[in-house]
């Protein structure tokens, strides 16, 4: 199965999952089992599936054939090159290839001057006016390729301007200064190509990075875009193997993403350069294998994660239908690895997150139905006890239900009191985790760094920033624990005293935030908070880099944690409120039923038959909901290989 077919299968599985969830949601609405919180949770599930993306990043030094490899792997079935591929540099800025149906085909370019601001690329995406947009004529390949060459554009600026925009004083750009002291820098900071290719329409996002020397100059790449990629293809040249600059980038930006090497694939490109007509195929294969083994040893990878290919020959073979050349290019082996490592891993992520959320929704709906059934059967039992009884017994039963109703309403007063405390604890949580406290920390850290007289003081300010961020997270976890314990206690009380069907309250974990803070501090200690950086850079410049590159990512992390906390708070109290309303309705109906029997407006047998009919309807609803839930779980358990395939192109 090719990568295109596997990705098409995954996309179809995702659509089937969305359809089964929509069917379950409709059944809840038909049976009046939903509420605003449940609707919101389903909408989040649908949104996650709609916006699900498979991010693949390509990292290489220039002239390694990176753009040609992207063309060969993803766009060969299109019959032509998508990206410009010529000798020398073709990509001067990070470029994302994706598809947004809400936009016309175009390339959007963010000017390099935006680096002078404190705004990251992700934030700039919210402001379309800041980008230069060029339309793509998808029916005119030559014109489109000419437009796409915009990613290669450069400009010459004074050295001081280059440094102010984040380019190192002693970097590659400085070495290319002309007689007037002007240095060459990219014209654009970032590019987004919106193109209606079938794979991109299904959610594939390709990140094409500039040369290795440019990676460290764009913080969004190293701190956000590369870490969030589901797969990184690191491209080397088959004739040179791992160079020193290759090894540096591998160690600093790619190879150190935890203990697992899953999703990191090394490509030895241009093996056609080793196709020597004076050597036998066995000798050529032995030379290629030797390069694979040496590269694996240098990078600390298993040899089966390094793939020798010829992207150019693979592309030509695909376009011309030359199976023999395709086999010799070894491109199918790389596609196979991507298909059976990348796609299943991504499917597992989506499956686990969806399954956890859906299981909680189903459990709460099931609990509500069971509470309705228990209340109905309690009412049926009371009606059955009244058979053959005199009016006094009916009055006694009516008084008993009335007392039960009063006791429940007394319990409600306790619930309302707890809800008030719950509100106070929630406010305290957002006081610890909220953006106001982070803004105060950011302001104080910036001032401390600007006021620093010695390098040690500057270094301590950076360390204190991370320490305070961790303290906020730990204090937030304490508040989360108190909220969870309080809700658990009141739920247990209502379960015991009033028979409510409530599951244990969900917990909110901030472990991901802790891991991300650790990663950002490690990056800072490697790239900013070092003796060399502190001694060779001006205080103001280092401060600006810290806030542009690190504090910006911490802010985005806290924003995400706040959204998670808000969703958790709403989901925590909603099930209990729903069942309390349900219990109130049941008690009211029981009391009204006995009153009607007492007043002889209804006969006892008529009422019992009505309740039996309602019981049958309720059991049908439970089976209906369970069948719909089982349909969702069948789709969740399916692997992409079980999904009907269709050609992606």
């Amino acid at each position: 199965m090719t990568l295109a077919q596997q990705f098409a299968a995954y996309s179809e599985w995702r659509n089937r999952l969305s359809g089964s969830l929509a069917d379950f949601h409709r059944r809840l609405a038909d049976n009046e089992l939903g509420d605003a919180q449940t609707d919101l949770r389903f909408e989040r599930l649908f949104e996650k599936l709609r916006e699900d993306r498979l991010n693949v990043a390509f990292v290489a030094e220039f002239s390694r054939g990176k753009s040609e490899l992207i063309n060969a792997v993803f766009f060969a079935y299109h019959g032509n090159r998508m990206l410009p591929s010529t000798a020398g540099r073709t990509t001067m800025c990070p470029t994302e290839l994706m598809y947004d149906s809400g936009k016309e085909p175009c390339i959007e370019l963010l000017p390099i001057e935006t680096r002078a601001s404190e705004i990251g690329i992700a934030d700039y995406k919210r402001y379309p006016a800041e980008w230069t947009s060029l339309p793509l004529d998808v029916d005119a390949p030559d014109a489109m390729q000419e437009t796409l060459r915009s990613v290669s554009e450069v400009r010459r600026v004074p050295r001081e301007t280059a440094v102010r925009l984040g380019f190192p004083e002693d970097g590659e750009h400085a070495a290319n200064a002309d007689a007037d002291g002007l240095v060459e820098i990219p014209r654009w900071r970032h590019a987004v190509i919106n193109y209606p290719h079938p794979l991109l329409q299904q959610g594939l996002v390709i990140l094409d990075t500039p040369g290795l020397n440019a990676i460290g100059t764009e913080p969004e790449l190293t701190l956000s875009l590369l870490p969030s990629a589901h797969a990184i293809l690191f491209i080397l040249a088959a004739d040179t193997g791992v160079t020193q600059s290759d090894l540096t980038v591998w160690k600093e930006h790619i190879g150190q993403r935890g203990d697992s090497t899953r999703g990191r694939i090394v490509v030895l490109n241009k093996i056609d350069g080793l196709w020597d007509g004076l050597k036998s195929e066995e000798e050529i294969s032995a030379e290629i294998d030797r390069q694979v083994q040496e590269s694996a040893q240098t990078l600390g990878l298993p040899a089966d994660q390094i793939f020798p290919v010829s992207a150019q020959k693979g592309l030509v073979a695909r376009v011309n239908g030359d199976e023999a050349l395709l086999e010799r290019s070894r491109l199918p082996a790389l596609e196979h690895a991507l298909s059976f490592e990348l796609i299943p891993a991504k499917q597992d992520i989506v499956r686990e997150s969806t399954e956890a959320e859906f299981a909680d929704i189903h459990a709460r709906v099931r609990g509500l139905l069971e509470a309705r059934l228990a209340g109905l059967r309690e009412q049926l039992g009371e009606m059955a006890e009244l058979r053959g009884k005199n009016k006094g017994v009916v009055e006694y039963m009516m008084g008993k239900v009335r007392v039960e109703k009063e006791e429940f309403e007394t319990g409600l007063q306790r619930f309302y009191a707890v809800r008030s405390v719950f509100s106070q604890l929630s406010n305290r949580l957002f006081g610890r985790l909220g953006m106001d406290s982070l803004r105060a920390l950011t302001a104080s850290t910036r001032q401390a760094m600007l006021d620093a007289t010695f390098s040690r003081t500057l270094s301590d300010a950076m360390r204190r920033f991370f320490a305070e961020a961790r303290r906020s997270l730990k204090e937030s976890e304490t508040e989360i624990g108190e909220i969870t314990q309080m809700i658990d206690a009141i739920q247990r009380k209502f379960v015991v005293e009033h028979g409510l069907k409530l599951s244990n309250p969900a917990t909110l974990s901030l472990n991901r935030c802790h891991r991300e803070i650790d990663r950002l501090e490690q990056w800072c200690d490697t790239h900013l908070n070092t003796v060399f950086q502190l001694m060779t850079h001006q205080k103001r410049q280092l401060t600006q880099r810290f806030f542009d590159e690190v504090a910006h990512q911490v802010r985005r992390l806290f924003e995400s944690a706040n959204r998670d906390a808000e969703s958790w708070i709403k989901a925590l109290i909603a099930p209990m409120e729903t069942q309390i309303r349900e219990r109130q309705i049941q008690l009211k109906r029981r009391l009204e039923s006995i009153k009607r029997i007492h007043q002889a407006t209804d006969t006892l047998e008529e009422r019992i038959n009505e309740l039996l009919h309602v019981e049958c309807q309720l059991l049908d609803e439970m089976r209906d909901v369970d069948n719909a839930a089982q349909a969702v779980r069948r789709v969740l358990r399916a692997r992409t290989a079980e999904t009907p395939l269709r050609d992606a192109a």
Side-chain angles (χ1 to χ4, degrees):
M1 188 186 300
T2 66
L3 178 62
Q5 290 173 318
Q6 185 83 346
F7 193 80
Y10 168 73
S11 179
E12 191 163 339
W13 171 83
R14 190 176 55 204
N15 291 337
R16 287 173 55 201
L17 177 59
S18 183
S20 63
L21 287 169
D23 181 62
F24 185 88
H25 191 209
R26 280 194 299 271
R27 290 171 191 260
L28 295 190
D30 292 343
N31 295 320
E32 297 181 349
L33 294 168
D35 54 32
Q37 181 59 29
T38 302
D39 291 343
L40 181 62
R41 295 178 74 178
F42 268 106
E43 184 52 43
R44 283 201 301 268
L45 279 175
F46 294 139
E47 186 178 356
K48 284 182 180 178
L49 291 173
R50 280 195 306 269
E51 296 183 356
D52 178 47
R53 295 288 186 265
L54 188 65
N55 298 296
V56 181
F58 285 71
V59 179
E61 184 57 282
F62 67 92
S63 297
R64 296 289 198 261
K66 176 166 44 67
S67 297
E68 193 77 328
L69 183 62
I70 294 174
N71 287 324
V73 172
F74 295 104
F75 301 111
Y77 294 102
H78 207 51
N80 205 339
R81 288 183 172 93
M82 167 81 175
L83 296 177
S85 179
T86 58
R89 291 195 168 188
T90 56
T91 305
M92 293 297 295
C93 65
T95 302
E96 290 180 85
L97 292 88
M98 58 188 299
Y99 182 65
D100 180 351
S101 59
K103 297 179 180 179
E104 293 296 321
C106 66
I107 177 171
E108 296 175 305
L109 301 154
L110 185 65
I112 194 66
E113 289 78 11
T114 58
R115 275 195 181 175
S117 71
E118 298 180 18
I119 303 176
I121 294 169
D123 293 322
Y124 267 115
K125 288 180 179 179
R126 304 175 190 173
Y127 307 105
E130 300 291 337
W131 298 68
T132 297
S133 181
L134 304 175
L136 292 177
D137 187 349
V138 296
D139 296 321
D142 292 341
M144 186 175 69
Q145 288 189 15
E146 183 62 34
T147 303
L148 292 178
R149 289 194 180 94
S150 302
V151 299
S152 305
E153 293 177 346
V154 296
R155 51 176 299 196
R156 303 194 77 84
V157 298
R159 190 190 303 267
E160 296 76 15
T161 301
V163 172
R164 182 172 57 84
L165 294 177
F167 295 97
E169 296 182 55
D170 54 351
E172 174 191 358
H173 303 86
N176 294 326
D178 61 17
D180 296 327
L182 299 179
V183 298
E184 186 179 273
I185 63 171
R187 182 179 179 186
W188 308 108
R189 179 183 181 187
H190 197 82
V192 178
I193 298 173
N194 191 57
Y195 182 73
H197 184 279
L199 288 177
L200 302 181
Q201 288 174 319
Q202 293 171 21
L204 176 68
V205 176
I206 298 171
L207 174 63
D208 185 9
T209 64
L212 300 179
N213 289 325
I215 285 183
T217 62
E218 181 51 70
E220 198 97 358
L221 263 180
T222 55
L223 291 174
S224 179
L225 293 175
L226 288 181
S228 64
H230 300 103
I232 296 179
L233 274 71
F234 189 56
I235 300 135
L236 309 171
D239 57 345
T240 62
V242 184
T243 66
Q244 188 57 47
S245 61
D246 292 335
L247 185 60
T248 299
V249 171
W250 174 263
K251 287 182 176 180
E252 292 187 1
H253 303 302
I254 302 174
Q256 302 299 320
R257 295 170 58 201
D259 297 330
S260 173
T261 58
R262 189 179 181 93
R264 280 167 285 176
I265 294 174
V266 175
V267 179
L268 276 176
N269 194 22
K270 301 188 178 183
I271 61 170
D272 53 296
L274 304 178
W275 294 353
D276 190 337
L278 300 179
K279 294 180 180 178
S280 67
E281 284 297 321
E282 290 76 13
E283 290 174 320
I284 293 171
S285 293
E287 188 172 353
I288 292 173
D289 290 343
R290 186 172 60 255
Q291 282 287 53
V292 168
Q293 294 296 332
E294 290 178 359
S295 299
Q297 184 176 4
T298 303
L299 298 176
L301 280 180
D304 60 7
Q305 280 185 249
I306 298 182
F307 295 86
V309 303
S310 171
Q312 193 271 336
K313 299 303 181 188
L315 176 62
V316 171
R318 278 270 163 75
V319 172
N320 295 331
D322 188 337
E323 291 298 325
L325 182 59
L326 179 62
E327 190 65 27
R328 198 179 185 202
S329 74
R330 303 198 188 189
L331 191 64
L334 173 61
E335 288 187 322
H336 180 85
L338 284 170
S339 298
F340 290 95
E341 176 169 333
L342 175 60
I343 306 294
K346 174 60 174 171
Q347 186 182 21
D348 287 343
I349 293 171
V350 174
R351 177 188 292 110
E352 289 169 9
S353 63
T354 304
E355 196 165 26
E357 184 78 3
F358 176 74
D360 188 56
I361 292 174
H362 180 223
R364 293 181 178 187
V365 170
R366 199 66 167 72
L368 179 58
L369 284 168
E370 289 172 355
R372 285 184 182 179
L373 185 62
L376 180 67
R377 287 176 172 169
E378 187 177 1
Q379 196 173 351
L380 266 170
E382 290 171 348
M383 294 294 104
E385 287 180 16
L386 294 177
R387 281 182 171 133
K389 305 296 182 182
N390 58 32
K391 194 170 185 178
V393 174
V394 177
E395 289 176 350
Y396 168 77
M397 189 67 73
M398 187 165 58
K400 179 183 174 184
V401 175
R402 186 177 285 116
V403 169
E404 189 175 341
K405 184 171 179 291
E406 290 172 355
E407 288 177 348
F408 184 76
E409 288 173 350
T410 301
L412 276 183
Q413 298 304 315
R414 290 198 299 271
F415 172 72
Y416 293 141
V418 166
R419 195 164 62 175
S420 176
V421 177
F422 175 79
S423 178
Q424 295 174 17
L425 289 176
S426 300
N427 291 335
R428 278 169 49 184
L429 169 62
F430 289 114
R432 310 286 190 195
L433 193 63
M435 300 309 297
D436 287 343
S437 60
L438 183 64
R439 276 191 285 269
L441 172 61
T442 301
S444 63
T445 303
R446 183 187 293 274
Q447 194 59 49
M449 292 179 71
L450 292 174
D451 291 344
T453 307
F454 303 103
S455 297
R456 175 67 178 272
T457 314
L458 200 64
S459 176
D460 288 346
M462 287 186 260
R463 295 190 184 281
R464 189 163 52 251
F465 177 83
F466 289 108
E468 288 298 312
R470 285 194 185 89
R471 187 173 65 82
S472 293
L473 292 176
K474 288 185 178 297
E475 290 176 349
S476 298
E477 286 173 328
T478 300
E479 301 294 346
I480 289 168
E482 289 186 20
I483 291 172
T484 304
Q485 289 176 6
M486 185 191 68
I487 293 297
D488 183 56
I490 191 66
Q491 282 191 359
R492 289 177 185 274
K493 196 170 187 63
F494 269 78
V495 167
V496 172
E497 294 181 357
H498 306 291
L500 268 60
K501 301 285 184 179
L502 293 165
S503 56
N504 293 331
T507 58
L508 175 65
S509 173
L510 297 179
N511 288 339
R512 182 183 67 86
C513 296
H514 283 291
R515 290 195 300 270
E516 190 65 8
I517 290 291
D518 290 343
R519 184 183 72 85
L520 290 170
E521 184 170 27
Q522 183 180 10
W523 187 93
C524 181
D525 288 344
T526 304
H527 296 86
L528 294 180
N529 197 4
T530 66
V531 173
F532 176 78
Q533 293 289 336
L534 292 169
M535 296 298 293
T536 58
H537 287 79
Q538 294 181 358
K539 177 178 62 176
R540 184 169 294 277
Q541 182 186 7
L542 206 60
T543 300
Q544 190 65 35
R545 283 194 65 193
F546 178 81
F547 285 97
D548 287 354
E549 301 175 15
V550 178
H552 173 74
Q553 296 295 328
V554 173
R555 178 175 64 80
R556 291 174 60 184
L557 177 67
F558 270 67
E559 286 174 347
S560 175
N562 271 264
R563 289 193 296 270
D564 291 343
E566 287 174 5
S567 299
W568 176 70
I569 289 291
K570 292 175 182 176
L572 201 59
I573 200 72
M576 193 170 181
E577 291 178 329
T578 299
Q579 288 216 24
I580 284 174
R581 285 195 302 270
E582 188 70 23
R583 184 65 172 168
Q584 284 179 304
I585 292 170
Q586 290 173 1
L587 288 169
K588 183 179 179 181
R589 286 174 178 169
R590 285 170 57 195
L591 189 58
E592 288 175 351
S593 294
I594 297 174
K595 278 182 179 179
R596 287 201 297 270
I597 300 299
H598 182 258
Q599 295 167 0
T601 55
D602 286 350
T603 67
L604 182 60
E605 291 305 320
E606 283 177 349
R607 184 57 183 155
I608 288 176
N609 287 334
E610 282 180 20
L611 293 175
L612 288 171
H613 179 67
V614 173
E615 182 185 33
C616 289
Q617 289 181 322
L618 192 54
L619 289 171
D620 286 343
E621 286 180 15
M622 293 178 76
R623 281 191 292 270
D624 193 40
V625 168
D626 286 344
N627 287 338
Q630 191 60 32
V632 173
R633 291 194 172 96
R634 278 196 298 271
V635 178
L636 281 168
R637 286 194 296 266
R639 309 298 300 185
T640 51
E642 300 171 29
T643 308
L645 299 178
R646 56 184 172 82
D647 197 300

